[in-house]
Amino acid sequence: MTLDSDVLLWSTVLAILLSSLILSRSIYVYTRSSQRKPKHFPFLRLPPELRSSIYEYLVEWNPIYPPLPPLPESQLGRLVKWVAFIVRWNPRYSYRNPMLLVNRQIHAEFIELLCMRKSFLLKVDKFNQNKECIWPIPSSTIAQIRKCDLKIIATSDMLEADDPRSITEDFSLRDRVCDQLARMVKLQRVNLHIHALGDPLWNPLWMWYYISLAFKDVPNIKFRAITFSLHSISPIPNLLAKNKEGLWEWRCPFGHQIEADANRVQPIREFCSNLYKECETCDAPSTP
Ligand SMILES: [Zn+2]
């Protein structure tokens, strides 16, 4: 065996040994790191003000009550969720903010901020109108709500009368709704929206009239505005709003005053007239 072949042999042996050492060291480091417990960020040890600033970025959706059922775990359901996530559309499951599920402390802190920043959409329709507790909101949350929008999807049976001629002052739904609103002791602003679903006996105008009449002067609940809509394409009617003196007045959709609402019980003919009355400010010719 020559000198060159000895050098080649020992070089090869040395290279194999070094490679084995490097490989075994890499495997050791990888195994140790995979067995090591992951480090968690100590979020709850941050000052409360800093945690609150972080929550501000996570409060995205206005809470809806009653919550809609979750989308089915089908291919279509998953596709809808995926599209909703991409386009940031407000899907039916969006009221479930994951922050509310972390632990009791984060739930309480997040709910407090949610109630300060967001307006709760509270719906009343044929599915919950007969329930004693119309919106399943915990008492601790109800007491912190600052703003809400009450949306009534009105049908004729909601008014507890077969036809408009037999309607009475006794409107139990109004009482149950106002009982829950009265528990919102920090409530600063509440709007009422009446979406009328008419039928052969009930013109939507009657529904708008009776429901707005029932709610507009409820003691202790300060409604700021009452708006109206239909389940069809039609011109947007005017709205009722409170002025600075706390009195109701008719306004156009752009906020101009149309008529003072002097009478608490406005005759229905006058109500309908003001509902679609044209706004003189909007119709005024613009100056060149
Ligand atoms: Zn106007």
Side-chain angles (χ1 to χ4, degrees):
M1 186 176 289
T2 62
L3 183 62
D4 288 346
S5 59
D6 283 348
V7 170
L8 182 63
L9 176 65
W10 285 110
S11 299
T12 307
V13 170
L14 190 62
I16 292 171
L17 278 174
L18 282 174
S19 302
S20 302
L21 278 173
I22 292 169
L23 183 64
S24 59
R25 174 68 184 164
S26 301
I27 291 172
Y28 172 76
V29 169
Y30 173 77
T31 310
R32 283 292 303 272
S33 63
S34 62
Q35 288 175 347
R36 201 177 296 149
K37 288 184 178 177
K39 285 186 177 178
H40 297 288
F41 182 75
F43 183 72
L44 289 175
R45 274 188 257 153
L46 292 174
E49 305 80 30
L50 204 51
R51 288 205 298 273
S52 184
S53 302
I54 293 168
Y55 296 147
E56 295 270 5
Y57 289 96
L58 303 170
V59 175
E60 290 186 330
W61 312 107
N62 290 320
I64 301 172
Y65 284 94
L68 294 163
L71 290 165
E73 284 300 325
S74 60
Q75 293 283 356
L76 180 62
R78 281 197 288 274
L79 178 66
V80 171
K81 283 183 186 179
W82 182 79
V83 172
F85 175 76
I86 295 296
V87 301
R88 298 183 68 78
W89 164 56
N90 187 352
R92 58 171 56 187
Y93 59 87
S94 63
Y95 65 91
R96 294 187 182 89
N97 196 307
M99 292 300 289
L100 297 173
L101 306 174
V102 180
N103 63 28
R104 286 176 189 273
Q105 182 182 343
I106 290 180
H107 182 282
E109 291 174 353
F110 195 78
I111 279 284
E112 187 181 353
L113 190 83
L114 191 72
C115 291
M116 278 197 289
R117 293 282 181 272
K118 291 295 177 180
S119 180
F120 281 59
L121 175 59
L122 307 176
K123 296 205 299 183
V124 182
D125 56 21
K126 61 181 181 179
F127 299 109
N128 65 346
Q129 67 182 42
N130 294 319
K131 293 184 177 175
E132 190 60 34
C133 179
I134 298 171
W135 309 297
I137 310 176
S139 303
S140 55
T141 304
I142 277 197
Q144 297 187 67
I145 294 175
R146 309 301 204 280
K147 296 174 277 186
C148 74
D149 292 282
L150 171 62
K151 182 174 184 178
I152 297 180
I153 301 170
T155 51
S156 56
D157 60 333
M158 192 178 276
L159 289 154
E160 299 161 7
D162 291 334
D163 72 71
R165 290 165 298 181
S166 60
I167 194 138
T168 65
E169 291 279 320
D170 190 17
F171 189 26
S172 68
L173 177 64
R174 186 265 318 271
D175 297 339
R176 278 180 288 124
V177 166
C178 290
D179 280 349
Q180 275 200 272
L181 291 178
R183 290 164 55 204
M184 299 175 190
V185 291
K186 293 184 180 175
L187 194 62
Q188 297 166 352
R189 193 220 70 187
V190 53
N191 294 324
L192 170 63
H193 180 76
I194 307 168
H195 183 81
L197 302 177
D199 59 39
L201 278 178
W202 278 84
N203 187 307
L205 287 167
W206 288 97
M207 296 179 182
W208 288 339
Y209 176 69
Y210 282 118
I211 294 176
S212 64
L213 199 60
F215 279 93
K216 65 193 280 194
D217 288 316
V218 173
N220 305 324
I221 310 290
K222 306 290 183 212
F223 285 101
R224 197 181 66 172
I226 303 177
T227 55
F228 309 91
S229 70
L230 276 175
H231 195 60
S232 62
I233 299 171
S234 60
I236 300 171
N238 299 324
L239 57 104
L240 276 165
K242 283 262 181 79
N243 60 22
K244 288 179 182 173
E245 288 77 41
L247 302 172
W248 287 107
E249 65 184 23
W250 284 97
R251 290 183 191 164
C252 80
F254 297 98
H256 306 127
Q257 185 188 357
I258 291 178
E259 193 77 47
D261 182 41
N263 300 323
R264 185 198 166 272
V265 183
Q266 196 174 35
I268 191 163
R269 185 170 295 181
E270 198 177 319
F271 174 89
C272 297
S273 163
N274 287 329
L275 197 58
Y276 285 103
K277 196 169 185 177
E278 292 189 350
C279 172
E280 292 179 4
T281 309
C282 288
D283 289 347
S286 56
T287 51

